[in-house]
mmCIF file of all heavy atoms in Angstrom:
data_model
loop_
_atom_site.group_PDB
_atom_site.id
_atom_site.type_symbol
_atom_site.label_atom_id
_atom_site.label_comp_id
_atom_site.label_asym_id
_atom_site.label_seq_id
_atom_site.Cartn_x
_atom_site.Cartn_y
_atom_site.Cartn_z
ATOM 1 N N ILE A 1 -11.590 -0.464 -5.298
ATOM 2 C CA ILE A 1 -12.134 0.633 -4.516
ATOM 3 C C ILE A 1 -11.641 1.929 -5.123
ATOM 4 O O ILE A 1 -10.486 2.036 -5.557
ATOM 5 C CB ILE A 1 -11.715 0.529 -3.028
ATOM 6 C CG1 ILE A 1 -12.413 1.593 -2.187
ATOM 7 C CG2 ILE A 1 -10.205 0.615 -2.861
ATOM 8 C CD1 ILE A 1 -12.223 1.417 -0.697
ATOM 9 N N ASP A 2 -12.506 2.932 -5.228
ATOM 10 C CA ASP A 2 -12.130 4.281 -5.632
ATOM 11 C C ASP A 2 -11.971 5.092 -4.358
ATOM 12 O O ASP A 2 -12.915 5.199 -3.569
ATOM 13 C CB ASP A 2 -13.193 4.896 -6.537
ATOM 14 C CG ASP A 2 -13.323 4.169 -7.864
ATOM 15 O OD1 ASP A 2 -12.495 3.280 -8.135
ATOM 16 O OD2 ASP A 2 -14.249 4.487 -8.629
ATOM 17 N N ILE A 3 -10.784 5.670 -4.186
ATOM 18 C CA ILE A 3 -10.476 6.264 -2.887
ATOM 19 C C ILE A 3 -9.507 7.432 -3.041
ATOM 20 O O ILE A 3 -8.664 7.442 -3.942
ATOM 21 C CB ILE A 3 -9.870 5.183 -1.945
ATOM 22 C CG1 ILE A 3 -9.784 5.678 -0.511
ATOM 23 C CG2 ILE A 3 -8.540 4.664 -2.468
ATOM 24 C CD1 ILE A 3 -9.449 4.576 0.492
ATOM 25 N N ASP A 4 -9.663 8.436 -2.182
ATOM 26 C CA ASP A 4 -8.711 9.549 -2.139
ATOM 27 C C ASP A 4 -7.516 9.138 -1.287
ATOM 28 O O ASP A 4 -7.684 8.680 -0.149
ATOM 29 C CB ASP A 4 -9.377 10.793 -1.536
ATOM 30 C CG ASP A 4 -10.445 11.381 -2.448
ATOM 31 O OD1 ASP A 4 -10.140 11.597 -3.638
ATOM 32 O OD2 ASP A 4 -11.570 11.616 -1.977
ATOM 33 N N LEU A 5 -6.329 9.301 -1.847
ATOM 34 C CA LEU A 5 -5.100 8.951 -1.143
ATOM 35 C C LEU A 5 -4.155 10.145 -1.140
ATOM 36 O O LEU A 5 -4.107 10.924 -2.102
ATOM 37 C CB LEU A 5 -4.420 7.751 -1.801
ATOM 38 C CG LEU A 5 -5.181 6.415 -1.710
ATOM 39 C CD1 LEU A 5 -4.546 5.364 -2.601
ATOM 40 C CD2 LEU A 5 -5.232 5.936 -0.260
ATOM 41 N N THR A 6 -3.416 10.287 -0.055
ATOM 42 C CA THR A 6 -2.487 11.391 0.132
ATOM 43 C C THR A 6 -1.056 10.885 0.032
ATOM 44 O O THR A 6 -0.734 9.804 0.526
ATOM 45 C CB THR A 6 -2.708 12.053 1.503
ATOM 46 O OG1 THR A 6 -4.072 12.464 1.612
ATOM 47 C CG2 THR A 6 -1.798 13.251 1.689
ATOM 48 N N GLN A 7 -0.209 11.649 -0.622
ATOM 49 C CA GLN A 7 1.190 11.253 -0.753
ATOM 50 C C GLN A 7 1.811 11.044 0.631
ATOM 51 O O GLN A 7 1.617 11.842 1.543
ATOM 52 C CB GLN A 7 1.982 12.308 -1.523
ATOM 53 C CG GLN A 7 3.388 11.856 -1.929
ATOM 54 C CD GLN A 7 4.028 12.813 -2.909
ATOM 55 O OE1 GLN A 7 3.851 14.031 -2.822
ATOM 56 N NE2 GLN A 7 4.786 12.265 -3.858
ATOM 57 N N ASN A 8 2.500 9.927 0.777
ATOM 58 C CA ASN A 8 3.154 9.500 2.023
ATOM 59 C C ASN A 8 2.163 9.034 3.089
ATOM 60 O O ASN A 8 2.561 8.791 4.235
ATOM 61 C CB ASN A 8 4.053 10.606 2.594
ATOM 62 C CG ASN A 8 5.209 10.932 1.660
ATOM 63 O OD1 ASN A 8 5.795 10.033 1.058
ATOM 64 N ND2 ASN A 8 5.533 12.214 1.543
ATOM 65 N N GLN A 9 0.891 8.906 2.720
ATOM 66 C CA GLN A 9 -0.102 8.383 3.652
ATOM 67 C C GLN A 9 0.185 6.917 3.957
ATOM 68 O O GLN A 9 0.485 6.128 3.070
ATOM 69 C CB GLN A 9 -1.506 8.513 3.040
ATOM 70 C CG GLN A 9 -2.612 7.839 3.848
ATOM 71 C CD GLN A 9 -3.957 7.898 3.137
ATOM 72 O OE1 GLN A 9 -4.120 8.601 2.142
ATOM 73 N NE2 GLN A 9 -4.929 7.148 3.645
ATOM 74 N N GLU A 10 0.064 6.550 5.231
ATOM 75 C CA GLU A 10 0.206 5.153 5.620
ATOM 76 C C GLU A 10 -1.181 4.517 5.696
ATOM 77 O O GLU A 10 -2.138 5.152 6.137
ATOM 78 C CB GLU A 10 0.921 5.035 6.965
ATOM 79 C CG GLU A 10 2.371 5.501 6.921
ATOM 80 C CD GLU A 10 3.106 5.288 8.233
ATOM 81 O OE1 GLU A 10 2.503 4.692 9.160
ATOM 82 O OE2 GLU A 10 4.273 5.711 8.346
ATOM 83 N N PHE A 11 -1.286 3.279 5.247
ATOM 84 C CA PHE A 11 -2.572 2.587 5.265
ATOM 85 C C PHE A 11 -2.355 1.095 5.433
ATOM 86 O O PHE A 11 -1.245 0.578 5.214
ATOM 87 C CB PHE A 11 -3.367 2.874 3.985
ATOM 88 C CG PHE A 11 -2.710 2.371 2.739
ATOM 89 C CD1 PHE A 11 -3.006 1.109 2.234
ATOM 90 C CD2 PHE A 11 -1.786 3.144 2.049
ATOM 91 C CE1 PHE A 11 -2.405 0.637 1.090
ATOM 92 C CE2 PHE A 11 -1.176 2.680 0.899
ATOM 93 C CZ PHE A 11 -1.485 1.415 0.419
ATOM 94 N N GLU A 12 -3.428 0.404 5.812
ATOM 95 C CA GLU A 12 -3.368 -1.042 6.013
ATOM 96 C C GLU A 12 -4.317 -1.743 5.063
ATOM 97 O O GLU A 12 -5.348 -1.199 4.681
ATOM 98 C CB GLU A 12 -3.735 -1.392 7.459
ATOM 99 C CG GLU A 12 -2.736 -0.900 8.490
ATOM 100 C CD GLU A 12 -3.072 -1.350 9.898
ATOM 101 O OE1 GLU A 12 -4.086 -2.074 10.057
ATOM 102 O OE2 GLU A 12 -2.340 -0.986 10.827
ATOM 103 N N ILE A 13 -3.952 -2.948 4.689
ATOM 104 C CA ILE A 13 -4.816 -3.818 3.896
ATOM 105 C C ILE A 13 -5.105 -5.055 4.723
ATOM 106 O O ILE A 13 -4.191 -5.732 5.200
ATOM 107 C CB ILE A 13 -4.168 -4.187 2.559
ATOM 108 C CG1 ILE A 13 -4.023 -2.928 1.688
ATOM 109 C CG2 ILE A 13 -4.984 -5.257 1.840
ATOM 110 C CD1 ILE A 13 -3.324 -3.154 0.382
ATOM 111 N N GLU A 14 -6.411 -5.327 4.909
ATOM 112 C CA GLU A 14 -6.830 -6.461 5.735
ATOM 113 C C GLU A 14 -7.678 -7.427 4.903
ATOM 114 O O GLU A 14 -8.308 -7.040 3.925
ATOM 115 C CB GLU A 14 -7.646 -5.966 6.927
ATOM 116 C CG GLU A 14 -6.910 -4.983 7.822
ATOM 117 C CD GLU A 14 -7.807 -4.373 8.865
ATOM 118 O OE1 GLU A 14 -8.499 -3.374 8.539
ATOM 119 O OE2 GLU A 14 -7.854 -4.909 9.988
ATOM 120 N N GLY A 15 -7.689 -8.684 5.333
ATOM 121 C CA GLY A 15 -8.541 -9.682 4.708
ATOM 122 C C GLY A 15 -7.807 -10.673 3.837
ATOM 123 O O GLY A 15 -8.401 -11.651 3.378
ATOM 124 N N LEU A 16 -6.540 -10.427 3.568
ATOM 125 C CA LEU A 16 -5.748 -11.328 2.731
ATOM 126 C C LEU A 16 -4.783 -12.113 3.623
ATOM 127 O O LEU A 16 -3.785 -11.568 4.102
ATOM 128 C CB LEU A 16 -4.965 -10.541 1.676
ATOM 129 C CG LEU A 16 -5.807 -9.835 0.608
ATOM 130 C CD1 LEU A 16 -4.962 -8.862 -0.199
ATOM 131 C CD2 LEU A 16 -6.472 -10.859 -0.309
ATOM 132 N N VAL A 17 -5.097 -13.375 3.839
ATOM 133 C CA VAL A 17 -4.250 -14.173 4.739
ATOM 134 C C VAL A 17 -2.880 -14.426 4.128
ATOM 135 O O VAL A 17 -1.917 -14.696 4.845
ATOM 136 C CB VAL A 17 -4.937 -15.515 5.077
ATOM 137 C CG1 VAL A 17 -6.213 -15.272 5.857
ATOM 138 C CG2 VAL A 17 -5.240 -16.316 3.810
ATOM 139 N N ASP A 18 -2.783 -14.321 2.791
ATOM 140 C CA ASP A 18 -1.502 -14.561 2.127
ATOM 141 C C ASP A 18 -0.842 -13.263 1.656
ATOM 142 O O ASP A 18 -0.055 -13.263 0.705
ATOM 143 C CB ASP A 18 -1.686 -15.505 0.939
ATOM 144 C CG ASP A 18 -2.633 -14.929 -0.118
ATOM 145 O OD1 ASP A 18 -3.301 -13.916 0.162
ATOM 146 O OD2 ASP A 18 -2.680 -15.498 -1.231
ATOM 147 N N ILE A 19 -1.169 -12.139 2.316
ATOM 148 C CA ILE A 19 -0.655 -10.842 1.893
ATOM 149 C C ILE A 19 0.868 -10.819 1.826
ATOM 150 O O ILE A 19 1.454 -10.107 1.003
ATOM 151 C CB ILE A 19 -1.168 -9.722 2.838
ATOM 152 C CG1 ILE A 19 -0.765 -8.329 2.334
ATOM 153 C CG2 ILE A 19 -0.698 -9.944 4.249
ATOM 154 C CD1 ILE A 19 -1.406 -7.928 1.041
ATOM 155 N N ALA A 20 1.539 -11.627 2.626
ATOM 156 C CA ALA A 20 3.009 -11.666 2.607
ATOM 157 C C ALA A 20 3.537 -12.185 1.277
ATOM 158 O O ALA A 20 4.695 -11.921 0.914
ATOM 159 C CB ALA A 20 3.525 -12.531 3.751
ATOM 160 N N ASP A 21 2.699 -12.907 0.528
ATOM 161 C CA ASP A 21 3.122 -13.462 -0.757
ATOM 162 C C ASP A 21 2.780 -12.552 -1.924
ATOM 163 O O ASP A 21 3.095 -12.886 -3.076
ATOM 164 C CB ASP A 21 2.448 -14.828 -0.981
ATOM 165 C CG ASP A 21 2.802 -15.836 0.103
ATOM 166 O OD1 ASP A 21 3.927 -15.768 0.636
ATOM 167 O OD2 ASP A 21 1.932 -16.687 0.421
ATOM 168 N N TRP A 22 2.132 -11.420 -1.664
ATOM 169 C CA TRP A 22 1.704 -10.552 -2.756
ATOM 170 C C TRP A 22 2.858 -9.710 -3.289
ATOM 171 O O TRP A 22 3.763 -9.313 -2.546
ATOM 172 C CB TRP A 22 0.566 -9.639 -2.292
ATOM 173 C CG TRP A 22 -0.761 -10.348 -2.332
ATOM 174 C CD1 TRP A 22 -1.063 -11.559 -1.782
ATOM 175 C CD2 TRP A 22 -1.947 -9.893 -2.971
ATOM 176 N NE1 TRP A 22 -2.357 -11.899 -2.035
ATOM 177 C CE2 TRP A 22 -2.941 -10.889 -2.765
ATOM 178 C CE3 TRP A 22 -2.287 -8.762 -3.685
ATOM 179 C CZ2 TRP A 22 -4.227 -10.770 -3.254
ATOM 180 C CZ3 TRP A 22 -3.584 -8.630 -4.172
ATOM 181 C CH2 TRP A 22 -4.535 -9.632 -3.961
ATOM 182 N N TRP A 23 2.813 -9.448 -4.588
ATOM 183 C CA TRP A 23 3.788 -8.582 -5.246
ATOM 184 C C TRP A 23 3.364 -7.131 -5.042
ATOM 185 O O TRP A 23 2.219 -6.761 -5.296
ATOM 186 C CB TRP A 23 3.839 -8.904 -6.737
ATOM 187 C CG TRP A 23 4.851 -8.132 -7.524
ATOM 188 C CD1 TRP A 23 6.168 -8.419 -7.656
ATOM 189 C CD2 TRP A 23 4.607 -6.946 -8.308
ATOM 190 N NE1 TRP A 23 6.776 -7.494 -8.481
ATOM 191 C CE2 TRP A 23 5.837 -6.575 -8.893
ATOM 192 C CE3 TRP A 23 3.480 -6.175 -8.576
ATOM 193 C CZ2 TRP A 23 5.980 -5.475 -9.730
ATOM 194 C CZ3 TRP A 23 3.610 -5.065 -9.405
ATOM 195 C CH2 TRP A 23 4.839 -4.722 -9.966
ATOM 196 N N ILE A 24 4.274 -6.308 -4.560
ATOM 197 C CA ILE A 24 3.973 -4.915 -4.238
ATOM 198 C C ILE A 24 4.613 -4.009 -5.282
ATOM 199 O O ILE A 24 5.825 -4.072 -5.520
ATOM 200 C CB ILE A 24 4.467 -4.547 -2.828
ATOM 201 C CG1 ILE A 24 3.847 -5.492 -1.790
ATOM 202 C CG2 ILE A 24 4.139 -3.101 -2.509
ATOM 203 C CD1 ILE A 24 2.330 -5.490 -1.752
ATOM 204 N N ASP A 25 3.818 -3.184 -5.914
ATOM 205 C CA ASP A 25 4.283 -2.261 -6.947
ATOM 206 C C ASP A 25 4.949 -1.059 -6.279
ATOM 207 O O ASP A 25 4.276 -0.211 -5.687
ATOM 208 C CB ASP A 25 3.103 -1.809 -7.807
ATOM 209 C CG ASP A 25 3.531 -1.070 -9.063
ATOM 210 O OD1 ASP A 25 4.643 -0.515 -9.072
ATOM 211 O OD2 ASP A 25 2.749 -1.054 -10.037
ATOM 212 N N VAL A 26 6.271 -0.975 -6.396
ATOM 213 C CA VAL A 26 7.022 0.065 -5.678
ATOM 214 C C VAL A 26 6.756 1.455 -6.235
ATOM 215 O O VAL A 26 7.092 2.458 -5.584
ATOM 216 C CB VAL A 26 8.533 -0.235 -5.703
ATOM 217 C CG1 VAL A 26 8.836 -1.525 -4.952
ATOM 218 C CG2 VAL A 26 9.059 -0.305 -7.139
ATOM 219 N N ASP A 27 6.207 1.555 -7.439
ATOM 220 C CA ASP A 27 5.855 2.881 -7.941
ATOM 221 C C ASP A 27 4.760 3.514 -7.097
ATOM 222 O O ASP A 27 4.712 4.731 -6.949
ATOM 223 C CB ASP A 27 5.377 2.782 -9.393
ATOM 224 C CG ASP A 27 6.501 2.448 -10.351
ATOM 225 O OD1 ASP A 27 7.605 2.978 -10.165
ATOM 226 O OD2 ASP A 27 6.276 1.637 -11.269
ATOM 227 N N PHE A 28 3.898 2.675 -6.541
ATOM 228 C CA PHE A 28 2.761 3.182 -5.792
ATOM 229 C C PHE A 28 2.878 2.965 -4.286
ATOM 230 O O PHE A 28 2.363 3.770 -3.515
ATOM 231 C CB PHE A 28 1.474 2.530 -6.312
ATOM 232 C CG PHE A 28 1.116 2.946 -7.705
ATOM 233 C CD1 PHE A 28 1.522 2.193 -8.795
ATOM 234 C CD2 PHE A 28 0.399 4.108 -7.934
ATOM 235 C CE1 PHE A 28 1.196 2.582 -10.095
ATOM 236 C CE2 PHE A 28 0.066 4.517 -9.222
ATOM 237 C CZ PHE A 28 0.475 3.745 -10.307
ATOM 238 N N PHE A 29 3.527 1.887 -3.871
ATOM 239 C CA PHE A 29 3.549 1.546 -2.446
ATOM 240 C C PHE A 29 4.962 1.271 -1.954
ATOM 241 O O PHE A 29 5.779 0.670 -2.656
ATOM 242 C CB PHE A 29 2.707 0.285 -2.170
ATOM 243 C CG PHE A 29 1.314 0.327 -2.727
ATOM 244 C CD1 PHE A 29 0.851 -0.688 -3.546
ATOM 245 C CD2 PHE A 29 0.469 1.381 -2.429
ATOM 246 C CE1 PHE A 29 -0.432 -0.663 -4.059
ATOM 247 C CE2 PHE A 29 -0.819 1.416 -2.943
ATOM 248 C CZ PHE A 29 -1.275 0.399 -3.756
ATOM 249 N N THR A 30 5.215 1.689 -0.721
ATOM 250 C CA THR A 30 6.408 1.260 0.018
ATOM 251 C C THR A 30 5.930 0.418 1.188
ATOM 252 O O THR A 30 5.083 0.868 1.975
ATOM 253 C CB THR A 30 7.210 2.467 0.540
ATOM 254 O OG1 THR A 30 7.695 3.215 -0.577
ATOM 255 C CG2 THR A 30 8.385 1.996 1.393
ATOM 256 N N GLU A 31 6.419 -0.804 1.284
ATOM 257 C CA GLU A 31 5.992 -1.690 2.362
ATOM 258 C C GLU A 31 6.687 -1.308 3.664
ATOM 259 O O GLU A 31 7.917 -1.268 3.735
ATOM 260 C CB GLU A 31 6.295 -3.145 2.014
ATOM 261 C CG GLU A 31 5.736 -4.129 3.027
ATOM 262 C CD GLU A 31 5.918 -5.569 2.597
ATOM 263 O OE1 GLU A 31 7.047 -5.928 2.203
ATOM 264 O OE2 GLU A 31 4.935 -6.329 2.653
ATOM 265 N N ILE A 32 5.892 -1.013 4.676
ATOM 266 C CA ILE A 32 6.425 -0.709 6.006
ATOM 267 C C ILE A 32 6.591 -2.009 6.782
ATOM 268 O O ILE A 32 7.613 -2.252 7.410
ATOM 269 C CB ILE A 32 5.497 0.271 6.753
ATOM 270 C CG1 ILE A 32 5.363 1.583 5.955
ATOM 271 C CG2 ILE A 32 6.011 0.542 8.156
ATOM 272 C CD1 ILE A 32 4.298 2.514 6.485
ATOM 273 N N GLU A 33 5.554 -2.804 6.733
ATOM 274 C CA GLU A 33 5.567 -4.165 7.267
ATOM 275 C C GLU A 33 4.450 -4.917 6.544
ATOM 276 O O GLU A 33 3.694 -4.319 5.771
ATOM 277 C CB GLU A 33 5.327 -4.167 8.781
ATOM 278 C CG GLU A 33 4.013 -3.516 9.187
ATOM 279 C CD GLU A 33 3.867 -3.397 10.692
ATOM 280 O OE1 GLU A 33 4.726 -2.774 11.331
ATOM 281 O OE2 GLU A 33 2.861 -3.939 11.211
ATOM 282 N N THR A 34 4.352 -6.207 6.754
ATOM 283 C CA THR A 34 3.337 -6.985 6.054
ATOM 284 C C THR A 34 1.935 -6.435 6.324
ATOM 285 O O THR A 34 1.512 -6.335 7.478
ATOM 286 C CB THR A 34 3.401 -8.459 6.479
ATOM 287 O OG1 THR A 34 4.700 -8.977 6.183
ATOM 288 C CG2 THR A 34 2.351 -9.279 5.727
ATOM 289 N N GLY A 35 1.262 -6.021 5.257
ATOM 290 C CA GLY A 35 -0.088 -5.489 5.380
ATOM 291 C C GLY A 35 -0.166 -4.000 5.637
ATOM 292 O O GLY A 35 -1.256 -3.433 5.647
ATOM 293 N N LYS A 36 0.981 -3.350 5.830
ATOM 294 C CA LYS A 36 0.997 -1.908 6.088
ATOM 295 C C LYS A 36 1.931 -1.237 5.081
ATOM 296 O O LYS A 36 3.064 -1.674 4.891
ATOM 297 C CB LYS A 36 1.467 -1.625 7.516
ATOM 298 C CG LYS A 36 1.349 -0.156 7.931
ATOM 299 C CD LYS A 36 1.695 0.028 9.403
ATOM 300 C CE LYS A 36 1.505 1.470 9.840
ATOM 301 N NZ LYS A 36 1.812 1.665 11.278
ATOM 302 N N TYR A 37 1.433 -0.126 4.463
ATOM 303 C CA TYR A 37 2.158 0.464 3.339
ATOM 304 C C TYR A 37 2.117 1.987 3.401
ATOM 305 O O TYR A 37 1.311 2.582 4.108
ATOM 306 C CB TYR A 37 1.544 -0.022 2.010
ATOM 307 C CG TYR A 37 1.443 -1.519 1.946
ATOM 308 C CD1 TYR A 37 0.275 -2.166 2.374
ATOM 309 C CD2 TYR A 37 2.511 -2.288 1.520
ATOM 310 C CE1 TYR A 37 0.176 -3.543 2.351
ATOM 311 C CE2 TYR A 37 2.421 -3.675 1.495
ATOM 312 C CZ TYR A 37 1.258 -4.300 1.913
ATOM 313 O OH TYR A 37 1.184 -5.660 1.915
ATOM 314 N N ARG A 38 3.006 2.593 2.609
ATOM 315 C CA ARG A 38 3.016 4.044 2.440
ATOM 316 C C ARG A 38 2.732 4.330 0.970
ATOM 317 O O ARG A 38 3.279 3.678 0.071
ATOM 318 C CB ARG A 38 4.364 4.625 2.837
ATOM 319 C CG ARG A 38 4.467 6.160 2.672
ATOM 320 C CD ARG A 38 5.816 6.701 3.096
ATOM 321 N NE ARG A 38 6.046 6.481 4.523
ATOM 322 C CZ ARG A 38 6.910 5.614 5.021
ATOM 323 N NH1 ARG A 38 7.634 4.857 4.201
ATOM 324 N NH2 ARG A 38 7.065 5.484 6.325
ATOM 325 N N PHE A 39 1.871 5.335 0.714
ATOM 326 C CA PHE A 39 1.491 5.666 -0.660
ATOM 327 C C PHE A 39 2.492 6.646 -1.253
ATOM 328 O O PHE A 39 2.780 7.698 -0.675
ATOM 329 C CB PHE A 39 0.086 6.261 -0.692
ATOM 330 C CG PHE A 39 -0.475 6.433 -2.065
ATOM 331 C CD1 PHE A 39 -0.799 5.322 -2.831
ATOM 332 C CD2 PHE A 39 -0.676 7.696 -2.587
ATOM 333 C CE1 PHE A 39 -1.319 5.467 -4.108
ATOM 334 C CE2 PHE A 39 -1.202 7.860 -3.865
ATOM 335 C CZ PHE A 39 -1.523 6.744 -4.624
ATOM 336 N N ASN A 40 3.041 6.332 -2.426
ATOM 337 C CA ASN A 40 4.148 7.106 -2.994
ATOM 338 C C ASN A 40 3.760 8.230 -3.953
ATOM 339 O O ASN A 40 4.407 9.281 -3.935
ATOM 340 C CB ASN A 40 5.120 6.154 -3.709
ATOM 341 C CG ASN A 40 5.778 5.183 -2.749
ATOM 342 O OD1 ASN A 40 6.012 5.516 -1.587
ATOM 343 N ND2 ASN A 40 6.068 3.980 -3.214
ATOM 344 N N PRO A 41 2.758 8.071 -4.841
ATOM 345 C CA PRO A 41 2.461 9.144 -5.802
ATOM 346 C C PRO A 41 1.877 10.388 -5.141
ATOM 347 O O PRO A 41 1.636 10.425 -3.926
ATOM 348 C CB PRO A 41 1.440 8.492 -6.743
ATOM 349 C CG PRO A 41 1.610 7.030 -6.551
ATOM 350 C CD PRO A 41 1.984 6.860 -5.117
ATOM 351 N N ILE A 42 1.617 11.397 -5.973
ATOM 352 C CA ILE A 42 1.032 12.640 -5.472
ATOM 353 C C ILE A 42 -0.386 12.373 -4.981
ATOM 354 O O ILE A 42 -1.024 11.390 -5.352
ATOM 355 C CB ILE A 42 1.038 13.736 -6.557
ATOM 356 C CG1 ILE A 42 0.191 13.303 -7.769
ATOM 357 C CG2 ILE A 42 2.446 14.074 -6.983
ATOM 358 C CD1 ILE A 42 0.033 14.389 -8.823
ATOM 359 N N SER A 43 -0.889 13.265 -4.157
ATOM 360 C CA SER A 43 -2.234 13.122 -3.597
ATOM 361 C C SER A 43 -3.287 13.242 -4.692
ATOM 362 O O SER A 43 -3.143 14.012 -5.647
ATOM 363 C CB SER A 43 -2.484 14.194 -2.535
ATOM 364 O OG SER A 43 -1.510 14.123 -1.517
#
């Protein structure tokens, strides 16, 4: 998906039943809880 994202924006990812097993790239995302993240880079 091509999308506008804002630094420190919180967002959810849905549709992945195994999302807890996914590797999260800390350069871009901070995991708040399973399926919910904060965006780290600039807007």
Side-chain angles (χ1 to χ4, degrees):
I1 186 171
D2 295 353
I3 191 169
D4 291 309
L5 293 170
T6 304
Q7 191 169 37
N8 296 320
Q9 173 185 349
E10 294 184 5
F11 63 93
E12 294 184 1
I13 294 177
E14 302 172 276
L16 294 168
V17 296
D18 61 349
I19 186 66
D21 300 328
W22 278 51
W23 183 83
I24 303 301
D25 191 336
V26 296
D27 290 321
F28 292 94
F29 309 126
T30 296
E31 186 174 49
I32 300 170
E33 58 186 58
T34 301
K36 187 174 183 179
Y37 307 92
R38 179 179 296 109
F39 189 68
N40 296 328
I42 62 174
S43 303

